[in-house]
């Protein structure tokens, strides 16, 4: 976990390079949260143009380091993206992520955007104590109540 108050694209590149040097091919996934907090020189953090710059650069980093770049984002009550609409432009996959009840030990996913493939829906086993998601699909548990949904991007 890297927690920097004034995170820039250059510092992200530096940290990713260090992780790749340290872990080599074992370093396969990076999660970048709070994209709207990344500092882009001379731009307002609430403007959409820096978001497009950030998303393109993160996609470039994913290719450079041969990793999957994951970026969670929030939605409003109507299902629209909050604060990071520009980030969806470069994303290859956008997923709706639904945490099922803890006792069901499952996490469900549904594509809302996918480039070059057909839409997907799947549920994976989830160990909530370790936060490990199983690579094996399981049957989706019955929905017990309406819960807010979260989205993620894969660049």
């Amino acid at each position: 976990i890297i927690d920097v108050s004034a995170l820039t694209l250059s510092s992200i590149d530096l940290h990713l390079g260090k992780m790749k040097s340290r872990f080599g091919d074992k370093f396969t996934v990076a999660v970048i949260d709070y994209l709207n907090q990344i500092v882009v020189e001379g731009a307002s953090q609430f403007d959409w143009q820096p978001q497009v710059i950030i998303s393109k650069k993160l996609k470039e980093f994913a290719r450079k380091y041969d990793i999957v770049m994951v970026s969670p984002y929030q939605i409003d009550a109507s299902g629209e993206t909050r604060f990071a609409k520009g980030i969806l432009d470069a994303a290859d996959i956008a997923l709706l992520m639904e945490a099922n009840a803890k006792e069901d030990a499952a996490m469900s996913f549904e594509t809302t955007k996918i480039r070059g493939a057909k839409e997907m829906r799947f549920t994976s086993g989830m160990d909530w104590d370790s936060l490990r998601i199983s690579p094996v699909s399981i049957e989706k548990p019955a929905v017990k109540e309406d819960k807010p949904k979260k989205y993620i991007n894969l660049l």
Side-chain angles (χ1 to χ4, degrees):
I1 296 174
I2 299 162
D3 186 10
V4 179
S5 61
L7 194 60
T8 64
L9 290 168
S10 296
S11 64
I12 291 171
D13 189 16
L14 178 68
H15 287 296
L16 292 173
K18 286 180 181 179
M19 297 298 267
K20 196 62 168 183
S21 293
R22 182 174 176 190
F23 297 105
D25 289 340
K26 290 183 180 181
F27 177 51
T28 58
V29 177
V31 179
I32 311 281
D33 202 357
Y34 297 102
L35 293 181
N36 62 323
Q37 298 300 309
I38 296 173
V39 177
V40 175
E41 195 76 26
S44 165
Q45 71 183 39
F46 298 108
D47 187 12
W48 65 271
Q49 289 174 325
Q51 294 170 11
V52 172
I53 293 167
I54 291 166
S55 66
K56 286 181 179 180
K57 204 66 170 160
L58 292 179
K59 189 168 187 170
E60 181 182 311
F61 294 158
R63 287 185 184 125
K64 178 179 179 180
Y65 297 109
D66 192 27
I67 59 174
V68 173
M69 190 76 67
V70 177
S71 173
Y73 64 98
Q74 296 177 338
I75 59 170
D76 61 21
S78 71
E80 288 292 314
T81 308
R82 291 181 61 211
F83 300 120
K85 289 183 184 201
I87 215 69
L88 289 174
D89 291 344
D92 290 327
I93 302 172
L95 295 165
L96 168 66
M97 183 172 73
E98 181 182 355
N100 296 282
K102 186 173 183 175
E103 62 270 12
D104 291 330
M107 177 77 73
S108 298
F109 301 88
E110 177 183 344
T111 55
T112 59
K113 174 184 178 181
I114 187 162
R115 221 182 283 275
K118 65 180 189 165
E119 293 183 2
M120 296 182 283
R121 286 186 180 159
F122 58 94
T123 299
S124 294
M126 178 73 184
D127 180 341
W128 289 105
D129 294 326
S130 68
L131 298 179
R132 290 188 180 170
I133 300 173
S134 169
V136 179
S137 291
I138 62 172
E139 190 170 324
K140 183 176 179 175
V143 178
K144 295 177 178 108
E145 59 185 67
D146 263 350
K147 294 181 189 175
K149 296 177 177 154
K150 301 198 179 346
Y151 289 85
I152 59 174
N153 283 319
L154 301 177
L155 298 169

